[in-house]
Amino acid sequence: MTGPLRPEFHEGQVLASFDLAATVSYARATALRHARLAHDWGIADGLAMTTENRTDPTTGARYVEVSVQPGLAIDGTGREIVVPAPVVLSEADFEAVNGADRPTTEPYPVFLTAVDRAQPSTGLGSCAGSTGPTRVEESYQILFRRLGDERLVADQQPPAVNAAPAAPPVLWLVLLGFVQWTDGHFTAVFPNARGVGPRYLGVRADTVSARSGSLSLRTQPEAGEGKPALVLSGTTAPTLVYGLYKGTGDVDPLLTVESNGNLTIAGSFSGQISAGSVLVTSGSATDGMVLPLPSGVTPEEVADGRVSLHVSVTPRVPPSAKGLTVPAEATVDDQRRVRCRLRFYDPAAGSTTVKERSGAVDFLVLATVAATSGGG
């Protein structure tokens, strides 16, 4: 099996149409292989489905006119599909495919696919009298399919690495979204349905570098206020910042990793407790309260023995202007429930009765995992 063939020319060579076509095919095949193998196929830009409110002049029913906006997609063969201008979806085409279905609120998938359309010759005819087309329009077609056909997208298989640029034997389907159909009209548009949505263009790379010294990763093409971003910067002091965009376009840092390894976070830190570490919580609790666990420790970890708890409680004896108050009990049971009782005696009251009442404690809870236990 040979590799790609690159056309070569020399002085005095008689050029046939095949030779000229080979120059185009070689460049086209190179571009297709790059798009197919260095990227993940999908929508590159635009192609959103938008709606305009309409009223049926006969029935007075409200519906929507659906349009696909201009944009570009790369299909799984590496081919570009260009939609140069807005196109209104045809209700007649939809009805021809799904018009016989029973009424349903389930949305139907809408697909985009590449289509070649030969154009008639516009130049002078050849000496041999050939009248074949001299141009091929790389066009598109919008297709309506049956309910559930959105699952076909995941089953499509790309051509072989050395496949020549040609129309695929089966149309490659690019999902644009979903439409709802009611009483002969489109009534709504949905980006996702039944757990499936449009697929967007990706890149396959082990290294991504930035010439400016700062590399940003965000969830939208434009920096929108309140949207997340991850920024790797090395212009002055190298840092890794995760945060949210402010109205100015700057990133408000929520987590920062500095070049020396220092970690700064704006919120609280929680996570699975690691082997050999100790987590602590403290505070005050009254009789009957259940002591809290340190942040990052779950009751399940305590129950199955992965985490050991060490609890210390100290009764709080309130100062009294007269009389005597002493702690009678300050304990914590297996459920971490506090039991605190105080005894009070006032000799000036002329009574020998000792009264008992509930009290409060200061607590300290330590959660530990032994370094040799393999926990964490």
Side-chain angles (χ1 to χ4, degrees):
M1 183 175 294
T2 61
L5 294 177
R6 184 178 67 249
E8 294 284 350
F9 304 103
H10 55 81
E11 293 292 340
Q13 177 181 351
V14 177
L15 295 180
S17 62
F18 175 81
D19 298 312
L20 297 176
T23 63
V24 176
S25 296
Y26 177 79
R28 187 178 176 214
T30 301
L32 290 175
R33 283 194 299 271
H34 175 82
R36 183 172 72 245
L37 303 175
H39 299 83
D40 291 321
W41 67 270
I43 296 173
D45 187 68
L47 301 179
M49 293 199 300
T50 59
T51 61
E52 290 286 343
N53 293 325
R54 296 287 186 267
T55 301
D56 190 311
T58 303
T59 64
R62 301 283 291 175
Y63 68 99
V64 295
E65 180 182 84
V66 181
S67 298
V68 175
Q69 296 304 304
L72 169 71
I74 309 295
D75 71 13
T77 71
R79 176 170 173 161
E80 289 187 350
I81 309 176
V82 180
V83 179
V87 55
V88 177
L89 298 191
S90 169
E91 292 182 336
D93 289 349
F94 178 90
E95 199 157 24
V97 177
N98 298 300
D101 286 3
R102 293 181 178 180
T104 178
T105 58
E106 285 291 315
Y108 289 83
V110 182
F111 297 99
L112 179 71
T113 191
V115 174
D116 279 348
R117 293 191 172 97
Q119 302 297 299
S121 177
T122 57
L124 297 175
S126 68
C127 297
S130 173
T131 58
T134 58
R135 301 289 188 274
V136 175
E137 180 190 5
E138 295 185 340
S139 188
Y140 66 90
Q141 184 177 4
I142 294 176
L143 302 175
F144 299 105
R145 289 296 182 93
R146 309 287 293 171
L147 289 174
D149 278 356
E150 64 275 2
R151 299 186 184 91
L152 298 175
V153 171
D155 296 332
Q156 299 177 111
Q157 297 297 318
V161 172
N162 63 338
V170 177
L171 296 178
W172 193 280
L173 300 176
V174 177
L175 179 65
L176 298 179
F178 299 82
V179 292
Q180 191 175 61
W181 180 260
T182 307
D183 297 330
H185 293 292
F186 298 122
T187 52
V189 166
F190 302 95
N192 301 276
R194 296 177 287 276
V196 181
R199 173 172 172 157
Y200 296 94
L201 192 67
V203 62
R204 302 176 184 178
D206 291 335
T207 301
V208 178
S209 60
R211 296 178 61 186
S212 67
S214 179
L215 184 66
S216 299
L217 180 67
R218 56 177 178 245
T219 58
Q220 298 290 335
E222 301 298 330
E225 185 174 2
K227 299 298 183 181
L230 186 67
V231 180
L232 179 62
S233 177
T235 52
T236 54
T239 58
L240 175 65
V241 173
Y242 168 77
L244 303 179
Y245 278 111
K246 298 186 289 187
T248 59
D250 299 324
V251 176
D252 185 17
L254 299 177
L255 181 149
T256 302
V257 181
E258 300 176 10
S259 58
N260 59 5
N262 287 346
L263 174 66
T264 304
I265 59 175
S268 61
F269 180 82
S270 63
Q272 188 178 32
I273 185 171
S274 59
S277 61
V278 178
L279 297 180
V280 181
T281 187
S282 62
S284 299
T286 57
D287 181 60
M289 287 182 60
V290 176
L291 297 183
L293 292 172
S295 178
V297 178
T298 65
E300 292 75 19
E301 290 173 322
V302 176
D304 61 21
R306 282 178 289 168
V307 175
S308 299
L309 292 183
H310 307 270
V311 181
S312 173
V313 293
T314 303
R316 304 181 67 180
V317 179
S320 177
K322 52 184 178 178
L324 177 65
T325 301
V326 296
E329 180 184 11
T331 59
V332 177
D333 63 17
D334 293 340
Q335 304 301 316
R336 306 191 311 280
R337 190 177 301 277
V338 173
R339 174 69 174 172
C340 180
R341 308 297 295 175
L342 301 178
R343 288 176 182 163
F344 175 74
Y345 171 64
D346 184 5
S351 172
T352 59
T353 303
V354 176
K355 298 180 180 180
E356 190 170 291
R357 60 189 181 190
S358 60
V361 298
D362 294 323
F363 68 84
L364 178 69
V365 180
L366 302 180
T368 64
V369 174
T372 58
S373 67

